[in-house]
Amino acid sequence: MAGVLGAIKRWFDPEEVRRVGATPDYRFSLANERTFLAWIRTGLALVAGGLATAQFLPPLRVAHLREVISIALLLLGGAVAVRAVDRWARTERAMRLGRDLPASRFPALLAILVGAGAALLVVVVLVQAFD
């Protein structure tokens, strides 16, 4: 539990990150921030898709499928945003300490979830079209 609290503290206390190691080349820190912003844009796009699904997708033949899709997109968008800040803090810390950058399975997991969701929606669209 202390490890989780320490990670969360690093999200909100940028000075804590600066207390460890040596200052890395600014280009790397700025690249880390750009990567963070790209993840935030991805999270925002998923949230926007979830809201658009809830508001504009007509009711589907499967009961509550529209709501399930919307909630899944909203939750995934929130998870991406939280993961973005954690990744930023861990990467910044690793650069300052001269360590390897942290490995992550999250991009692969996100890609699989989005791909599986898209395949499921293709099936739904086809069933709806031929019904």
Side-chain angles (χ1 to χ4, degrees):
M1 188 65 166
V4 171
L5 293 176
I8 292 172
K9 182 180 181 215
R10 282 191 288 274
W11 299 352
F12 296 101
D13 185 7
E15 290 303 316
E16 194 277 335
V17 171
R18 291 182 177 172
R19 285 187 215 120
V20 299
T23 302
D25 185 327
Y26 289 105
R27 293 173 292 179
F28 300 122
S29 288
L30 293 172
N32 189 28
E33 285 184 22
R34 285 190 301 273
T35 302
F36 165 76
L37 292 172
W39 279 104
I40 290 296
R41 285 190 300 272
T42 301
L44 285 171
L46 290 164
V47 168
L51 291 174
T53 298
Q55 293 299 310
F56 303 116
L57 189 67
L60 302 171
R61 295 202 194 284
V62 178
H64 303 292
L65 181 58
R66 179 178 63 179
E67 290 79 11
V68 168
I69 293 167
S70 178
I71 290 169
L73 288 170
L74 291 167
L75 290 173
L76 189 56
V80 167
V82 170
R83 185 67 181 105
V85 71
D86 182 59
R87 175 75 177 180
W88 171 83
R90 292 184 325 125
T91 299
E92 191 68 25
R93 185 176 182 84
M95 288 190 303
R96 295 184 73 79
L97 294 173
R99 296 183 183 155
D100 288 341
L101 297 181
S104 176
R105 291 185 181 101
F106 191 76
L109 177 64
L110 179 62
I112 289 168
L113 288 172
V114 170
L120 179 64
L121 290 174
V122 166
V123 171
V124 169
V125 168
L126 290 173
V127 166
Q128 191 113 347
F130 292 110
D131 220 10

